[in-house]
Amino acid sequence: MSAQTYLAYDYPLLSVFWSMLLFFLWIMWFILLFRVVVDIFRDDDLSGWAKTGWLVLTILLPFLGVFVYVIARGKNMGRREMAQARAQQEAFDERIRQAAGTEGRTSSVDELAKLSEIRNSGAITDDEYRRAKELVLTGHAPAGQSGFTPPTTGR
């Protein structure tokens, strides 16, 4: 038999696991390296020279540079990423609101909350609140208005 037939016997199972571990650690290393580089560019608190210094350190001494960066500035990496994700979500939500055309309108829940606040402040009576609530719930009030004008008694 040829030597190629016995290749599986020459590479034991533990060596396969060790090779897989090294391969996945290598992949994780590149993921961490790219995250650090992206965080360096994302950070608005760093000056241009500081960004250049961190980039040079991570390129010339990659293991040391990345580990020092994670130790020194890693605490805020997650915060910056969350802030960017939140800003992207808000921009997306704003774009959806514009596309849906609901930018200036208020929902019936908002109108009911405003009515409740007006009633609690004493500007309208319970009967007026009930009538205005019926208008809001039946949809007879124009969008953005609760269907009545509260009295201006100077309270």
Side-chain angles (χ1 to χ4, degrees):
M1 298 230 142
S2 67
Q4 293 175 350
T5 307
Y6 297 108
L7 181 62
Y9 296 113
D10 293 337
Y11 203 66
L13 187 61
L14 190 58
S15 294
V16 171
F17 288 136
W18 181 248
S19 298
M20 288 175 51
L21 178 68
L22 288 178
F23 178 73
F24 287 118
L25 286 175
W26 184 68
I27 297 289
M28 288 179 57
W29 164 250
F30 278 108
I31 290 172
L32 182 62
L33 178 67
F34 290 132
R35 284 186 60 130
V36 165
V37 170
V38 167
D39 189 66
I40 290 171
F41 284 110
R42 179 184 294 152
D43 191 5
D44 293 333
D45 295 336
L46 287 177
S47 67
W49 287 106
K51 288 180 183 184
T52 304
W54 279 114
L55 284 174
V56 166
L57 184 64
T58 57
I59 290 171
L60 294 181
L61 301 170
F63 288 108
L64 182 65
V66 167
F67 291 138
V68 168
Y69 185 85
V70 169
I71 290 170
R73 302 185 51 82
K75 182 178 181 181
N76 293 326
M77 282 177 69
R79 291 182 185 148
R80 283 187 288 275
E81 188 170 344
M82 289 297 293
Q84 182 191 20
R86 192 174 301 117
Q88 285 178 342
Q89 184 65 40
E90 288 173 2
F92 177 75
D93 291 344
E94 181 63 29
R95 176 69 181 119
I96 294 297
R97 273 192 231 88
Q98 288 176 355
T102 60
E103 199 170 314
R105 293 187 228 158
T106 59
S107 68
S108 58
V109 174
D110 294 332
E111 292 178 13
L112 289 174
K114 289 177 188 175
L115 278 173
S116 179
E117 289 175 14
I118 293 171
R119 180 185 62 174
N120 291 339
S121 69
I124 60 173
T125 65
D126 287 337
D127 188 46
E128 291 172 324
Y129 171 76
R130 185 185 47 76
R131 282 186 278 142
K133 180 179 168 184
E134 288 174 8
L135 285 174
V136 169
L137 292 177
T138 57
H140 288 93
Q145 297 178 4
S146 58
F148 74 99
T149 305
T152 53
T153 58
R155 288 188 211 180

